[in-house]
Amino acid sequence: MLGARKMRWGGATTVVALIAGMLVFAGLLQPPASASAAPGGGSFAPLVAGQPGIPSDPAVVYQEDFQNGTGITPLTSYVSTSGVAYTASPYWLNAAFCNGFIVDSLQAWPGTSTCTSAGNFNDTQNKAYALGVLQGQAQPQLNRALSTNTSDDGGAAPNQIMFASQGQIALPSSNGRYITFSVDAAATACTYDTSNINNQPRLRFYFRNAAGTESPISSSAINPCTDPRSQQLVVNNATVDFGQFAANGSTMLSGSSIGLVLRNESNGGPNGNDGAIDNIRILDVTPQLDKAFSPTSVPVGGVSTLTFTVTNTSELAAKAGWSFTDSLPAGLVVANTPNVGGTCAATTTAAAGATSISIANGSLTAGQVSCTVTVDVTSSTPLPDEPSPKTYTNCAVNITAVVGLDLPNCASVEFFSQPEIQLTKTSNATADSRVGDVVEYTVTAENVGNQDYTASNPAVILDDLSGVLDDATYNGDAVSDRGGAPSYAAPLLSWSGALDAGDTVTLTYSVTLAAGGDGTARNVVWVPEDPSNPQTPSCDPPVDGTDPTTGEPCAFTSFPLPRLSIDKSADRTELPAVGDQVTYTVVVTNEGPGDYTAAAPATSTDDLSEVLDDATFDDASLTSDVGTVTRT
């Protein structure tokens, strides 16, 4: 045998020798990875609905293990336990070339009518044994496999049928479900002239309909010599490459029966392409649909993201054409901005305000574990007079027009009603407001939520006057049109009380403008996040609406006041002689930030009584560069 290699399992080399019908083991033999092994190593846990993204093992809906019989059985004479017969192309049925018969490891070579030599016959038995080990059989020497050993012949045309069902195979409840095929395959002489691909088996599954038309299931052939799912075992000094191989594609079955065809894309011949197959299975590989909401608790009018997850089965074959419609439970609708997203290659229909979501033309590519579709949903209930929260449960019964998917478990989201304050604030200050004027403030708080504030859960409103009191004096006259009177503890004015959904409370108070401040009268009203520990609002610089940092409702007013500064100087510092002239200059500056206006102009008075007892006023010298100046 060519190119013998040794496979290590659990750190031990496995060597099995078959001598005169007796088995001699050397080393430790451990079971290989199961059929659920993930490509490239690892394994997938069996899936139940509600575990999105974790592939399940496919369901076996038909299996042919060639164990229905004993001895050496030609394929065309074999009938499965369910009454299915099989066939192949003439080349792959020629027993003289070590093809087309079923055998185990204990049979004696019957002569050249079945393989041209005992060595070729034993080579077939080595592979049958390795496939028994693959399947975890307690006595792998009794495992029967179909020989496709291609020994000592002149070759054949490629892509002939190596194995096929005669007619259709009836399947249970498979209409509208994804089906694929799997085979346990073994090969020897894998290292012989690897430059010639015809020296290695290349197996490809086809689906055949009742009319006899074939369609390929997988996009490429399975080669047990090179496939990453392969294992190795040395049996009777021969290195056997073997494994369990599912096709990388699938078909959605229409009806309840299917025809199975396995072709070998390599040509036969005496050099290499030495194989055996066993445990041919038809697998239901229908993906699992799951759905979930996030977040699961949302205020009325808020948004929760509904995520649909389509999870592949563990062979990770391609699945194209799945679809479904999810009818949302009453009261739940697609959000005004649906934000359709996710990773699935699919067509999603989810219009704002719609009561259902449709996904069509869905596809999983070969090797893809799962994909998602996301849509934002919302609800306007419960109403203020309804119990809160209200739970919306979306189950399998909500799924209609489903094609090619297993139905999900239930998913739930709750919407809760809550009170919510919207604030506005105004003052009657104008550009003409001046020191000594009284400025009135009006604060309006509306419960725009869908739940009442109550005596036990009151609305709380705070008004921070610290930005006003340096420019004014609070007049202590705050009143409200409902509930108790506002209270004041400098610099905070506060009100609390019951406020039904849709109702409004109005607070009014006044201040008297005074000099000496920063010239900006600004105050902020807000709803504190923690009424028991009110702090200066974070909405400063103030914002109208909702503070972006805390989410607290805020409103503010601010108006500028003008401020005068006066500087006075004389053109000499020593006492002048009688008859000398003294010139005085007065500079009046508006330091702002407000303007003096024509209706409320800046004024300044200069008292000369302590000058005119010693001097005479020169009326001709009286001038100003802004406004007018007069003397009385």
Side-chain angles (χ1 to χ4, degrees):
M1 292 299 168
L2 298 172
R5 290 181 289 169
K6 295 182 180 181
M7 175 63 179
R8 295 186 181 274
W9 288 327
T13 300
T14 303
V15 181
V16 182
L18 301 175
I19 303 175
M22 299 180 65
L23 293 175
V24 179
F25 295 91
L28 299 175
L29 186 60
Q30 297 181 2
S34 70
S36 61
S43 61
F44 292 120
L47 174 76
V48 296
Q51 294 183 347
I54 305 176
S56 66
D57 291 331
V60 179
V61 294
Y62 183 84
Q63 182 173 6
E64 180 52 75
D65 58 9
F66 300 119
Q67 295 300 111
N68 189 30
T70 58
I72 301 171
T73 307
L75 177 63
T76 53
S77 300
Y78 179 85
V79 178
S80 73
T81 55
S82 57
V84 178
Y86 307 103
T87 188
S89 299
Y91 174 82
W92 293 107
L93 291 175
N94 192 328
F97 297 151
C98 248
N99 294 330
F101 60 87
I102 300 163
V103 69
D104 60 35
S105 300
L106 300 182
Q107 302 301 312
W109 177 47
T112 56
S113 61
T114 304
C115 299
T116 55
S117 69
N120 289 332
F121 184 76
N122 289 338
D123 191 25
T124 291
Q125 292 178 301
N126 294 340
K127 290 187 278 281
Y129 179 88
L131 293 174
V133 172
L134 173 70
Q135 296 158 21
Q137 295 185 21
Q139 295 180 296
Q141 67 271 23
L142 299 179
N143 182 59
R144 288 159 57 80
L146 176 64
S147 176
T148 56
N149 212 49
T150 66
S151 301
D152 298 331
D153 67 283
N159 206 38
Q160 295 190 56
I161 295 176
M162 177 181 284
F163 174 85
S165 61
Q166 292 189 20
Q168 301 292 98
I169 300 174
L171 301 178
S173 304
S174 295
N175 185 41
R177 300 183 66 78
Y178 286 97
I179 299 297
T180 196
F181 302 129
S182 172
V183 63
D184 293 0
T188 50
C190 283
T191 59
Y192 182 87
D193 189 12
T194 55
S195 63
N196 184 355
I197 60 174
N198 287 315
N199 290 332
Q200 297 175 346
R202 291 182 295 136
L203 314 178
R204 192 171 182 186
F205 282 109
Y206 290 78
F207 157 68
R208 185 181 60 209
N209 63 22
T213 302
E214 291 183 16
S215 302
I217 288 293
S218 51
S219 61
S220 59
I222 297 164
N223 185 344
C225 291
T226 60
D227 195 291
R229 295 169 289 185
S230 289
Q231 306 171 50
Q232 282 188 341
L233 183 68
V234 177
V235 184
N236 204 23
N237 295 322
T239 297
V240 181
D241 291 76
F242 66 102
Q244 188 171 85
F245 309 101
N248 68 352
S250 63
T251 186
M252 187 181 293
L253 193 63
S254 176
S256 58
S257 63
I258 194 170
L260 186 158
V261 176
L262 181 63
R263 293 179 177 269
N264 191 335
E265 293 186 351
S266 298
N267 59 283
N271 300 320
N273 200 0
D274 298 340
I277 59 175
D278 191 11
N279 195 32
I280 296 171
R281 301 181 303 165
I282 301 176
L283 305 175
D284 183 336
V285 291
T286 302
Q288 174 68 51
L289 174 64
D290 285 284
K291 49 187 171 180
F293 292 96
S294 180
T296 56
S297 184
V298 187
V300 169
V303 168
S304 178
T305 298
L306 174 56
T307 299
F308 301 98
T309 302
V310 177
T311 303
N312 211 342
T313 42
S314 60
E315 88 299 336
L316 302 184
K319 316 285 164 65
W322 44 263
S323 61
F324 64 94
T325 295
D326 187 19
S327 297
L328 300 173
L332 199 63
V333 298
V334 176
N336 288 336
T337 303
N339 287 323
V340 175
T343 60
C344 287
T347 301
T348 301
T349 303
T355 59
S356 65
I357 301 166
S358 295
I359 290 91
N361 305 315
S363 177
L364 289 167
T365 58
Q368 187 174 6
V369 172
S370 63
C371 71
T372 60
V373 174
T374 58
V375 180
D376 285 350
V377 297
T378 188
S379 178
S380 59
T381 55
L383 300 174
D385 58 349
E386 294 179 332
S388 178
K390 185 172 183 178
T391 300
Y392 300 93
T393 302
N394 195 352
C395 294
V397 295
N398 296 83
I399 301 294
T400 58
V402 62
V403 176
L405 295 171
D406 279 333
L407 295 176
N409 283 343
C410 296
S412 296
V413 61
E414 68 174 27
F415 282 78
F416 57 89
S417 55
Q418 63 177 5
E420 180 182 353
I421 292 294
Q422 186 177 81
L423 294 170
T424 58
K425 185 172 187 178
T426 61
S427 78
N428 66 351
T430 71
D432 299 329
S433 296
R434 296 292 181 264
V435 172
D437 290 347
V438 174
V439 175
E440 293 184 350
Y441 289 93
T442 301
V443 175
T444 301
E446 181 182 3
N447 183 356
V448 296
N450 63 339
Q451 189 64 272
D452 299 338
Y453 284 103
T454 63
S456 59
N457 179 35
V460 176
I461 301 164
L462 298 180
D463 194 340
D464 180 16
L465 304 186
S466 58
V468 174
L469 296 180
D470 61 336
D471 297 289
T473 302
Y474 171 56
N475 293 328
D477 57 354
V479 294
S480 65
D481 64 352
R482 68 169 57 232
S487 60
Y488 178 71
L492 295 180
L493 185 73
S494 63
W495 178 90
S496 67
L499 192 62
D500 291 346
D503 282 354
T504 298
V505 59
T506 300
L507 315 179
T508 58
Y509 63 93
S510 71
V511 298
T512 300
L513 297 180
D518 62 3
T520 300
R522 182 184 70 193
N523 59 349
V524 181
V525 61
W526 85 105
V527 175
E529 185 175 4
D530 181 5
S532 65
N533 185 29
Q535 304 293 323
T536 300
S538 62
C539 43
D540 193 2
V543 295
D544 272 333
T546 301
D547 179 75
T549 303
T550 66
E552 297 172 343
C554 289
F556 79 100
T557 62
S558 180
F559 60 89
L561 295 171
R563 292 184 301 153
L564 292 183
S565 64
I566 301 174
D567 181 69
K568 185 174 183 179
S569 62
D571 64 348
R572 63 180 65 205
T573 58
E574 296 179 354
L575 186 67
V578 173
D580 288 347
Q581 188 177 54
V582 179
T583 299
Y584 292 94
T585 302
V586 178
V587 178
V588 181
T589 303
N590 180 7
E591 296 184 349
D595 297 333
Y596 284 97
T597 65
T603 61
S604 175
T605 300
D606 191 356
D607 182 4
L608 304 182
S609 59
E610 294 298 317
V611 175
L612 295 182
D613 61 340
D614 298 296
T616 302
F617 191 87
D618 182 2
D619 289 315
S621 67
L622 183 60
T623 62
S624 66
D625 60 354
V626 175
T628 59
V629 58
T630 61
R631 183 175 75 89
T632 301

Coordinates of all heavy atoms in Angstrom, one line a residue, residues 127-199:
K127 N -11.0 -0.6 4.5 CA -11.8 0.6 4.5 C -13.1 0.3 5.2 O -13.6 1.2 5.9 CB -12.0 1.1 3.1 CG -10.7 1.7 2.4 CD -11.0 2.3 1.1 CE -11.0 1.3 0.0 NZ -9.7 0.9 -0.5
A128 N -13.7 -0.8 5.0 CA -14.9 -1.2 5.7 C -14.7 -1.1 7.2 O -15.6 -0.7 8.0 CB -15.5 -2.5 5.2
Y129 N -13.6 -1.7 7.6 CA -13.2 -1.7 9.1 C -13.1 -0.2 9.6 O -13.7 0.1 10.6 CB -11.9 -2.4 9.3 CG -11.5 -2.4 10.8 CD1 -12.0 -3.4 11.6 CD2 -10.7 -1.4 11.3 CE1 -11.7 -3.4 13.0 CE2 -10.4 -1.4 12.6 CZ -10.8 -2.4 13.4 OH -10.5 -2.4 14.8
A130 N -12.4 0.6 8.9 CA -12.2 2.0 9.3 C -13.5 2.7 9.4 O -13.8 3.5 10.3 CB -11.3 2.7 8.3
L131 N -14.4 2.5 8.5 CA -15.8 3.1 8.6 C -16.6 2.6 9.8 O -17.4 3.3 10.3 CB -16.5 2.9 7.3 CG -15.9 3.6 6.0 CD1 -16.6 3.2 4.8 CD2 -15.9 5.1 6.2
G132 N -16.3 1.4 10.2 CA -17.0 0.9 11.4 C -16.4 1.6 12.6 O -17.2 1.9 13.6
V133 N -15.1 1.9 12.6 CA -14.5 2.6 13.7 C -15.1 4.0 13.7 O -15.5 4.6 14.8 CB -13.0 2.7 13.5 CG1 -12.4 3.7 14.6 CG2 -12.4 1.3 13.7
L134 N -15.3 4.6 12.6 CA -15.9 6.0 12.5 C -17.2 6.0 13.1 O -17.6 7.0 13.8 CB -16.0 6.4 11.0 CG -16.7 7.7 10.7 CD1 -15.9 8.9 11.2 CD2 -17.0 7.8 9.2
Q135 N -18.0 5.0 12.9 CA -19.4 5.0 13.4 C -19.4 4.5 14.9 O -20.5 4.5 15.5 CB -20.2 4.0 12.6 CG -20.4 4.5 11.1 CD -20.7 3.4 10.1 OE1 -21.2 2.4 10.5 NE2 -20.4 3.7 8.9
G136 N -18.3 4.3 15.5 CA -18.3 3.9 16.9 C -18.8 2.5 17.2 O -19.3 2.2 18.3
Q137 N -18.7 1.6 16.2 CA -19.2 0.3 16.4 C -18.3 -0.5 17.4 O -17.1 -0.4 17.3 CB -19.3 -0.5 15.1 CG -20.3 0.1 14.1 CD -20.4 -0.7 12.8 OE1 -20.1 -1.8 12.8 NE2 -20.9 0.0 11.8
A138 N -19.0 -1.3 18.2 CA -18.2 -2.1 19.2 C -17.4 -3.2 18.4 O -16.3 -3.6 18.9 CB -19.2 -2.8 20.2
Q139 N -17.9 -3.7 17.3 CA -17.2 -4.7 16.5 C -17.1 -4.2 15.1 O -17.8 -4.6 14.2 CB -17.9 -6.0 16.5 CG -18.0 -6.7 17.9 CD -18.7 -8.0 17.9 OE1 -19.9 -8.1 17.6 NE2 -18.0 -9.1 18.1
P140 N -16.1 -3.3 14.8 CA -16.0 -2.7 13.5 C -15.7 -3.7 12.4 O -15.9 -3.4 11.2 CB -14.9 -1.6 13.7 CG -14.2 -2.0 14.9 CD -15.2 -2.7 15.8
Q141 N -15.2 -4.8 12.8 CA -14.9 -5.9 11.8 C -16.1 -6.4 11.2 O -16.1 -7.0 10.1 CB -14.0 -7.0 12.4 CG -14.8 -7.8 13.5 CD -14.7 -7.3 14.9 OE1 -14.4 -6.1 15.0 NE2 -14.8 -8.1 15.9
L142 N -17.3 -6.2 11.8 CA -18.5 -6.7 11.2 C -19.2 -5.6 10.4 O -20.3 -5.8 9.8 CB -19.5 -7.1 12.3 CG -19.0 -8.2 13.2 CD1 -20.0 -8.5 14.3 CD2 -18.7 -9.5 12.4
N143 N -18.6 -4.4 10.3 CA -19.2 -3.3 9.5 C -19.2 -3.7 8.0 O -18.1 -4.1 7.5 CB -18.5 -2.0 9.7 CG -19.2 -0.9 9.0 OD1 -20.4 -0.6 9.1 ND2 -18.4 -0.2 8.1
R144 N -20.3 -3.5 7.3 CA -20.4 -3.7 5.9 C -20.3 -2.4 5.1 O -21.0 -1.4 5.5 CB -21.6 -4.5 5.6 CG -21.6 -5.9 6.0 CD -23.0 -6.6 6.2 NE -23.8 -6.5 5.0 CZ -23.6 -7.4 3.9 NH1 -22.7 -8.3 4.0 NH2 -24.4 -7.3 2.9
A145 N -19.6 -2.3 4.1 CA -19.5 -1.1 3.3 C -19.5 -1.5 1.8 O -19.2 -2.6 1.4 CB -18.2 -0.4 3.6
L146 N -19.8 -0.5 1.0 CA -19.9 -0.7 -0.5 C -18.5 -0.4 -1.1 O -18.0 0.7 -0.9 CB -20.9 0.2 -1.1 CG -21.0 0.2 -2.7 CD1 -21.4 -1.2 -3.2 CD2 -22.0 1.2 -3.2
S147 N -17.9 -1.4 -1.8 CA -16.6 -1.2 -2.3 C -16.6 -0.5 -3.6 O -17.4 -0.7 -4.5 CB -15.9 -2.6 -2.6 OG -14.7 -2.5 -3.2
T148 N -15.7 0.5 -3.8 CA -15.5 1.3 -5.0 C -14.0 1.4 -5.2 O -13.5 2.5 -5.3 CB -16.2 2.7 -4.9 OG1 -15.6 3.3 -3.7 CG2 -17.7 2.6 -4.7
N149 N -13.3 0.3 -5.3 CA -11.9 0.2 -5.2 C -11.1 0.3 -6.5 O -9.9 0.5 -6.5 CB -11.5 -1.1 -4.5 CG -10.2 -1.0 -3.7 OD1 -10.1 -0.1 -2.9 ND2 -9.3 -1.9 -3.9
T150 N -11.8 0.2 -7.6 CA -11.2 0.5 -9.0 C -9.8 -0.2 -9.2 O -8.8 0.5 -9.5 CB -11.0 2.0 -9.2 OG1 -10.0 2.5 -8.2 CG2 -12.3 2.8 -8.9
S151 N -9.8 -1.5 -9.0 CA -8.5 -2.2 -9.1 C -8.3 -2.9 -10.4 O -9.2 -3.5 -10.9 CB -8.5 -3.3 -8.0 OG -8.6 -2.7 -6.7
D152 N -7.1 -2.7 -11.0 CA -6.6 -3.4 -12.1 C -7.5 -3.3 -13.3 O -7.9 -4.4 -13.9 CB -6.3 -4.9 -11.8 CG -5.3 -5.0 -10.7 OD1 -4.4 -4.1 -10.6 OD2 -5.3 -6.0 -9.9
D153 N -8.0 -2.2 -13.7 CA -8.8 -2.0 -14.8 C -8.3 -0.9 -15.7 O -7.3 -0.2 -15.3 CB -10.3 -1.7 -14.4 CG -10.3 -0.3 -13.8 OD1 -9.9 -0.1 -12.6 OD2 -10.8 0.6 -14.5
G154 N -8.8 -0.8 -16.8 CA -8.3 0.2 -17.8 C -8.9 1.6 -17.6 O -8.6 2.5 -18.4
G155 N -9.7 1.8 -16.6 CA -10.3 3.2 -16.4 C -11.6 3.3 -17.0 O -12.1 2.4 -17.7
A156 N -12.3 4.4 -16.7 CA -13.6 4.6 -17.1 C -13.9 6.1 -17.3 O -13.1 6.9 -16.8 CB -14.7 4.0 -16.2
A157 N -15.0 6.5 -17.9 CA -15.3 7.9 -18.1 C -15.6 8.5 -16.7 O -16.1 7.8 -15.8 CB -16.5 8.0 -19.0
P158 N -15.2 9.7 -16.5 CA -15.5 10.4 -15.2 C -17.0 10.7 -15.0 O -17.8 10.6 -15.9 CB -14.7 11.7 -15.2 CG -14.6 12.0 -16.7 CD -14.5 10.7 -17.4
N159 N -17.4 11.0 -13.7 CA -18.7 11.5 -13.4 C -19.8 10.4 -13.6 O -20.9 10.8 -13.9 CB -19.1 12.8 -14.1 CG -20.1 13.6 -13.4 OD1 -20.0 13.7 -12.1 ND2 -21.0 14.2 -14.1
Q160 N -19.5 9.2 -13.5 CA -20.5 8.1 -13.6 C -21.1 7.9 -12.2 O -20.6 8.3 -11.2 CB -19.9 6.8 -14.1 CG -19.3 6.9 -15.5 CD -19.0 5.5 -16.0 OE1 -19.8 4.6 -16.1 NE2 -17.7 5.4 -16.5
I161 N -22.3 7.3 -12.3 CA -23.1 7.1 -11.0 C -22.4 5.9 -10.3 O -22.3 4.8 -10.7 CB -24.5 6.7 -11.3 CG1 -25.2 7.9 -12.0 CG2 -25.3 6.3 -10.1 CD1 -26.6 7.6 -12.4
M162 N -22.0 6.2 -9.0 CA -21.4 5.2 -8.2 C -22.4 4.6 -7.3 O -22.3 3.4 -6.9 CB -20.3 5.9 -7.3 CG -19.7 5.0 -6.2 SD -18.5 6.0 -5.2 CE -17.2 6.1 -6.4
F163 N -23.5 5.3 -7.0 CA -24.5 4.8 -6.1 C -25.8 5.6 -6.4 O -25.7 6.8 -6.5 CB -24.1 4.9 -4.7 CG -25.2 4.5 -3.7 CD1 -25.4 3.1 -3.3 CD2 -26.0 5.4 -3.1 CE1 -26.4 2.8 -2.4 CE2 -27.0 5.1 -2.2 CZ -27.2 3.7 -1.9
A164 N -26.9 4.9 -6.5 CA -28.2 5.7 -6.7 C -29.4 4.8 -6.2 O -29.3 3.6 -6.3 CB -28.4 6.1 -8.1
S165 N -30.4 5.5 -5.8 CA -31.6 4.7 -5.4 C -32.4 4.4 -6.7 O -32.3 5.2 -7.7 CB -32.5 5.6 -4.5 OG -32.9 6.8 -5.2
Q166 N -33.0 3.3 -6.7 CA -33.9 2.9 -7.8 C -35.3 3.5 -7.5 O -36.0 3.1 -6.7 CB -34.0 1.4 -8.0 CG -32.7 0.8 -8.5 CD -32.9 -0.7 -8.8 OE1 -34.0 -1.1 -9.1 NE2 -31.8 -1.4 -8.9
G167 N -35.6 4.6 -8.3 CA -36.8 5.3 -8.0 C -36.7 6.2 -6.9 O -35.6 6.6 -6.5
Q168 N -37.8 6.6 -6.3 CA -37.8 7.6 -5.2 C -37.8 7.0 -3.9 O -38.4 5.9 -3.7 CB -39.0 8.5 -5.4 CG -39.1 9.3 -6.7 CD -38.0 10.3 -6.8 OE1 -37.0 10.1 -7.5 NE2 -38.3 11.5 -6.3
I169 N -37.3 7.7 -2.9 CA -37.3 7.2 -1.5 C -38.3 8.0 -0.7 O -38.3 9.3 -0.7 CB -35.9 7.4 -0.8 CG1 -34.9 6.6 -1.6 CG2 -35.9 7.0 0.6 CD1 -33.4 6.8 -1.1
A170 N -39.3 7.4 -0.2 CA -40.4 8.1 0.6 C -39.8 8.6 1.9 O -39.0 7.9 2.6 CB -41.5 7.1 0.9
L171 N -40.1 9.9 2.2 CA -39.6 10.5 3.4 C -40.8 11.0 4.3 O -41.8 11.4 3.8 CB -38.7 11.7 3.1 CG -37.5 11.4 2.2 CD1 -36.8 12.7 1.9 CD2 -36.6 10.4 2.9
P172 N -40.6 10.9 5.6 CA -41.7 11.4 6.5 C -41.7 12.9 6.6 O -40.7 13.5 7.0 CB -41.4 10.7 7.8 CG -39.9 10.6 7.8 CD -39.5 10.4 6.4
S173 N -42.9 13.5 6.4 CA -43.1 14.9 6.7 C -42.0 15.8 6.2 O -41.5 16.6 7.0 CB -43.3 15.1 8.2 OG -44.4 14.3 8.6
S174 N -41.6 15.7 4.9 CA -40.5 16.5 4.5 C -40.9 17.6 3.5 O -40.0 18.3 3.0 CB -39.4 15.6 3.8 OG -38.9 14.7 4.8
N175 N -42.1 17.7 3.2 CA -42.5 18.7 2.2 C -42.3 20.1 2.7 O -42.6 20.5 3.9 CB -44.0 18.6 1.9 CG -44.5 19.6 0.8 OD1 -43.8 19.8 -0.2 ND2 -45.7 20.2 1.0
G176 N -41.6 21.0 1.9 CA -41.2 22.3 2.3 C -40.1 22.4 3.3 O -39.9 23.5 3.9
R177 N -39.3 21.3 3.4 CA -38.2 21.3 4.3 C -36.9 21.1 3.5 O -36.9 20.6 2.4 CB -38.3 20.3 5.4 CG -39.6 20.5 6.3 CD -39.7 19.5 7.4 NE -38.7 19.6 8.4 CZ -38.6 20.5 9.3 NH1 -39.6 21.4 9.4 NH2 -37.7 20.5 10.2
Y178 N -35.8 21.6 4.1 CA -34.5 21.4 3.5 C -33.9 20.0 3.7 O -33.9 19.5 4.8 CB -33.5 22.5 4.0 CG -33.8 23.9 3.5 CD1 -34.5 24.7 4.3 CD2 -33.3 24.3 2.3 CE1 -34.7 26.0 3.9 CE2 -33.6 25.6 1.8 CZ -34.3 26.4 2.6 OH -34.6 27.7 2.2
I179 N -33.5 19.4 2.6 CA -32.9 18.1 2.6 C -31.5 18.1 2.0 O -31.2 18.8 1.0 CB -33.8 17.1 1.8 CG1 -35.2 17.0 2.4 CG2 -33.2 15.7 1.7 CD1 -35.3 16.5 3.8
T180 N -30.6 17.4 2.6 CA -29.3 17.2 2.0 C -28.9 15.7 2.2 O -29.6 14.9 2.9 CB -28.2 18.1 2.5 OG1 -27.1 18.1 1.7 CG2 -27.8 17.8 3.9
F181 N -27.7 15.3 1.7 CA -27.2 14.0 1.8 C -25.9 14.0 2.5 O -25.1 14.9 2.5 CB -27.0 13.4 0.4 CG -28.3 13.4 -0.5 CD1 -28.2 13.9 -1.8 CD2 -29.4 12.8 0.0 CE1 -29.4 13.9 -2.5 CE2 -30.6 12.8 -0.8 CZ -30.6 13.4 -2.1
S182 N -25.6 12.8 3.1 CA -24.3 12.6 3.8 C -23.8 11.2 3.5 O -24.6 10.3 3.3 CB -24.5 12.8 5.3 OG -23.4 12.4 6.0
V183 N -22.5 11.0 3.5 CA -21.9 9.7 3.2 C -20.7 9.6 4.1 O -20.0 10.5 4.4 CB -21.5 9.6 1.7 CG1 -20.4 10.6 1.3 CG2 -21.0 8.2 1.4
D184 N -20.5 8.3 4.6 CA -19.2 7.9 5.3 C -18.4 7.4 4.2 O -18.8 6.4 3.5 CB -19.5 6.9 6.4 CG -20.2 7.5 7.5 OD1 -20.6 8.7 7.5 OD2 -20.5 6.7 8.5
A185 N -17.2 8.0 3.9 CA -16.4 7.6 2.8 C -15.0 7.3 3.3 O -14.5 8.0 4.2 CB -16.4 8.6 1.7
A186 N -14.3 6.4 2.6 CA -12.9 6.1 3.0 C -12.1 5.9 1.7 O -12.7 5.6 0.6 CB -12.8 4.8 3.8
A187 N -10.8 6.2 1.8 CA -10.0 6.0 0.6 C -8.6 5.6 1.0 O -8.1 5.9 2.1 CB -9.9 7.4 -0.2
T188 N -7.9 4.8 0.2 CA -6.5 4.5 0.3 C -5.8 5.0 -0.9 O -6.3 5.5 -1.8 CB -6.4 3.0 0.5 OG1 -7.1 2.3 -0.5 CG2 -6.9 2.5 1.9
A189 N -4.5 4.9 -0.8 CA -3.6 5.3 -1.9 C -3.8 6.8 -2.2 O -3.6 7.3 -3.3 CB -3.8 4.5 -3.2
C190 N -4.1 7.6 -1.1 CA -4.3 9.0 -1.3 C -3.1 9.8 -1.7 O -3.2 10.8 -2.3 CB -4.9 9.6 0.0 SG -6.6 9.2 0.3
T191 N -1.9 9.2 -1.4 CA -0.7 9.9 -1.7 C -0.1 9.6 -3.0 O 1.0 10.1 -3.4 CB 0.4 9.7 -0.6 OG1 0.6 8.3 -0.5 CG2 -0.1 10.2 0.7
Y192 N -0.8 8.7 -3.8 CA -0.3 8.3 -5.1 C -0.5 9.4 -6.1 O -1.6 9.7 -6.4 CB -0.9 7.0 -5.5 CG -0.4 6.5 -6.9 CD1 0.7 5.6 -6.9 CD2 -1.0 6.8 -8.1 CE1 1.3 5.2 -8.1 CE2 -0.5 6.4 -9.3 CZ 0.7 5.6 -9.3 OH 1.2 5.2 -10.5
D193 N 0.6 9.9 -6.6 CA 0.5 10.9 -7.7 C -0.6 11.9 -7.5 O -1.5 12.0 -8.2 CB 0.3 10.2 -9.1 CG 0.5 11.2 -10.3 OD1 1.0 12.3 -10.0 OD2 0.1 10.8 -11.4
T194 N -0.3 12.8 -6.5 CA -1.4 13.7 -6.1 C -1.6 14.8 -7.1 O -2.5 15.6 -7.0 CB -1.0 14.4 -4.8 OG1 0.3 15.0 -4.8 CG2 -1.0 13.4 -3.6
S195 N -0.7 14.9 -8.1 CA -0.9 15.9 -9.2 C -2.1 15.5 -10.1 O -2.6 16.4 -10.9 CB 0.4 16.0 -10.0 OG 0.7 14.8 -10.7
N196 N -2.5 14.3 -10.0 CA -3.6 13.8 -10.9 C -4.8 13.6 -10.0 O -4.9 12.7 -9.2 CB -3.2 12.5 -11.6 CG -4.3 12.0 -12.5 OD1 -5.4 12.6 -12.6 ND2 -4.0 10.9 -13.2
I197 N -5.8 14.6 -10.1 CA -7.0 14.5 -9.2 C -7.8 13.3 -9.5 O -8.6 12.9 -8.6 CB -7.8 15.8 -9.4 CG1 -8.3 15.9 -10.9 CG2 -7.1 17.0 -9.0 CD1 -9.3 17.0 -11.1
N198 N -7.6 12.6 -10.6 CA -8.4 11.4 -10.9 C -7.9 10.2 -10.1 O -8.6 9.2 -10.1 CB -8.3 11.1 -12.4 CG -9.2 12.0 -13.2 OD1 -10.3 12.3 -12.9 ND2 -8.6 12.5 -14.4
N199 N -6.8 10.4 -9.4 CA -6.3 9.3 -8.5 C -6.9 9.3 -7.1 O -6.6 8.5 -6.3 CB -4.8 9.4 -8.4 CG -4.1 9.1 -9.7 OD1 -4.6 8.3 -10.5 ND2 -2.9 9.6 -9.9

